[in-house]
Amino acid sequence: MALIKCPECGKEISSLAVACPSCGAPNAGSQPQIASAPPAQPVPTAPPPQAAPKRSVGILLGLGIFLLPFLFSWFTMRNGHSAASRVFAFGWLGLLAIAVFADKPATTTASTSAQSASKQVAAVAEQPKSTPLPPTQKELCRKDWMRCSDNEDLVNNYSGWLDVQVSCKLQANEQAKYGTPDWGGWLKPTFGTFLKGSDYVKDGIVVAIDSDVKFQNGFGAMVRSQVRCTYNLRTKRVTDLVITAR
């Protein structure tokens, strides 16, 4: 710092003075000092927020949500569970709630329907029973050959006619001298021919005839023959069987 003379009053003043302290004249040669700013201090920054730890729906929690969603669904509201797991848990809870509340009217309707059905059954039971119709001629003949009207009715409707056919066929096989006769296959009915009239019903003796049976002769040839079988319906036995070559 140097001393200089004031241009107005001539007194010595500091070269750094802004004005003369005696007369107040401004000092044109003075330069203001600029104070240096203190060094900037670093501004402390807050640490970045840490993300919440992710949680997964484990096996036990999944079973709890499935079996008891009214309790375990709320566990998914803890931090870390994804939005998808919460949607699944509370969606399942909502479906069960709808099913529970919707089942009550159905139960009531079912009980009402059961009561109506029981009333209908009781009403039907109280109705007077109708008189059963008398059996027809066909039904009578099926059970008892003596109730048949004639030979044709007996052959076509009597349930025991099958015994006549089987017994006559077995007797013919026993009487065959050379091998088993050819009856024309399983689809061909045996002893389908009978005598007209009503003697079968009156006497209980039926004659069953099969005109298309082949018996083997002594030379090995198959000879077309007729088998005439007489059968007693009372004793259920073959009384006579005649084989005639045709």
Side-chain angles (χ1 to χ4, degrees):
M1 176 183 68
L3 295 177
I4 61 173
K5 289 185 178 182
C6 175
E8 293 294 331
C9 66
K11 291 183 178 181
E12 292 181 350
I13 62 173
S14 175
S15 60
L16 300 178
V18 177
C20 178
S22 299
C23 64
N27 184 10
S30 67
Q31 294 181 354
Q33 291 182 344
I34 300 175
S36 59
Q41 298 293 331
V43 179
T45 59
Q50 296 182 355
K54 293 185 178 180
R55 299 176 184 266
S56 61
V57 179
I59 298 177
L60 295 179
L61 180 57
L63 289 175
I65 293 174
F66 182 78
L67 299 176
L68 296 173
F70 300 98
L71 176 62
F72 287 94
S73 296
W74 299 99
F75 282 82
T76 59
M77 296 302 295
R78 295 182 298 177
N79 292 335
H81 285 290
S82 62
S85 61
R86 294 170 182 171
V87 170
F88 172 79
F90 285 94
W92 177 242
L93 173 62
L95 289 176
L96 287 184
I98 293 173
V100 169
F101 289 106
D103 186 56
K104 292 183 178 180
T107 305
T108 304
T109 304
S111 60
T112 305
S113 302
Q115 293 177 359
S116 301
S118 61
K119 291 181 180 179
Q120 293 178 359
V121 172
V124 172
E126 292 177 358
Q127 294 180 357
K129 296 182 180 180
S130 58
T131 304
L133 298 175
T136 62
Q137 174 61 31
K138 184 177 180 179
E139 293 174 348
L140 293 173
C141 179
R142 181 182 298 112
K143 298 178 180 180
D144 186 0
W145 59 268
M146 290 186 291
R147 306 292 294 272
C148 298
S149 58
D150 53 17
N151 296 355
E152 183 178 3
D153 189 17
L154 186 149
V155 172
N156 292 329
N157 297 318
Y158 177 49
S159 60
W161 183 253
L162 180 61
D163 296 335
V164 177
Q165 295 172 305
V166 173
S167 299
C168 291
K169 183 177 180 180
L170 292 176
Q171 186 66 31
N173 289 340
E174 291 180 1
Q175 291 189 14
K177 296 181 179 181
Y178 307 100
T180 303
D182 182 6
W183 296 91
W186 292 100
L187 298 178
K188 174 184 172 296
T190 57
F191 296 99
T193 305
F194 58 92
L195 302 178
K196 295 290 185 180
S198 58
D199 297 340
Y200 295 0
V201 180
K202 294 178 181 179
D203 303 333
I205 304 298
V206 301
V207 178
I209 303 171
D210 195 322
S211 301
D212 192 14
V213 186
K214 294 179 181 179
F215 285 82
Q216 185 177 359
N217 60 15
F219 300 100
M222 301 300 292
V223 180
R224 187 180 180 187
S225 306
Q226 181 189 76
V227 180
R228 183 185 180 97
C229 178
T230 304
Y231 185 89
N232 191 327
L233 294 175
R234 290 184 172 87
T235 61
K236 295 183 179 181
R237 293 181 179 275
V238 176
T239 58
D240 187 31
L241 189 136
V242 179
I243 302 173
T244 305
R246 301 183 61 184

